Amino acid sequence: MFGGSALDTYIDLRDVRVTGYAAMGLIALVAAESVWGTVNDWQGGSSSWSFLAIVLVLPAGVVSYLWFRGATHNAEAIALHGVRTVPQVWKASDPAQRDVAFDQRAASPLIKPWQYAFLAMVLCDVLESLLLDTPLYVVFSTLSTACALGAAALACFLIFRISLMQQRFAVPQRKRR
């Protein structure tokens, strides 16, 4: 702290890598199931694949929430500032912006596209459900899948990057032999 750079000071943080990897894996599974379900829809298949997506979404949401709680805790410890949103977690976790006042830090430009892709996916899912026995069902199923793939890719990138940035502030652990 005295005479060294800000990154010379280590902070005891929660290790969010395991929950981050689990969240990314489950998010990828939900996206893959969405693709499989849409391909099945194109072939006139049943909607049972949609049920599988619902079953996978719940654990993906729970694990993502657990990761976010840990990442938020870490971001507050790093920034010594109230942190509640993904943009704030990014700002607090970015070591490149450590010497910039918190309110002047920039969040990742990929956060808004991720949020919009996720909202578009949910909207398409609702329309898909309302149009179940119509020709437009497959259109909205396809749009939902495209949005799900975009949202999943962006979410996985953001989780990975935030976890990696926070790790730079963590207390170094001794290697066990």
Side-chain angles (χ1 to χ4, degrees):
M1 202 131 64
F2 297 88
S5 75
L7 291 179
D8 290 342
T9 303
Y10 290 99
I11 304 165
D12 191 17
L13 302 178
R14 294 179 183 164
D15 190 350
V16 294
R17 290 176 297 178
V18 172
T19 55
Y21 294 144
M24 289 185 294
L26 287 166
I27 289 168
L29 277 175
V30 170
E33 189 289 323
S34 184
V35 169
W36 185 258
T38 299
V39 168
N40 196 32
D41 288 342
W42 291 339
Q43 298 170 349
S46 71
S47 60
S48 62
W49 290 105
S50 296
F51 176 74
L52 181 59
I54 293 167
V55 169
L56 289 172
V57 164
L58 184 61
V62 169
V63 174
S64 295
Y65 173 75
L66 292 173
W67 171 83
F68 185 70
R69 279 193 57 200
T72 301
H73 166 81
N74 291 348
E76 287 178 341
I78 293 166
L80 301 175
H81 192 280
V83 175
R84 298 286 177 254
T85 65
V86 175
Q88 290 173 337
V89 170
W90 183 282
K91 289 177 184 182
S93 304
D94 188 355
Q97 299 185 72
R98 184 78 169 139
D99 295 328
V100 177
F102 188 82
D103 294 340
Q104 295 175 353
R105 295 179 188 181
S108 171
L110 298 176
I111 293 172
K112 287 282 187 209
W114 160 65
Q115 293 170 330
Y116 292 140
F118 183 78
L119 289 174
M121 177 196 72
V122 170
L123 179 62
C124 288
D125 282 347
V126 168
L127 292 171
E128 175 185 345
S129 298
L130 294 173
L131 301 168
L132 191 56
D133 294 325
T134 69
L136 288 176
Y137 169 79
V138 174
V139 171
F140 284 102
S141 174
T142 304
L143 287 173
S144 173
T145 296
C147 293
L149 288 173
L154 290 169
C156 288
F157 172 78
L158 292 169
I159 290 169
F160 180 76
R161 187 73 176 110
I162 288 170
S163 297
L164 191 65
M165 288 190 301
Q166 287 186 353
Q167 201 59 31
R168 294 203 47 207
F169 290 99
V171 173
Q173 301 293 318
R174 286 188 225 170
K175 293 182 181 179
R176 295 181 184 175
R177 293 179 192 210

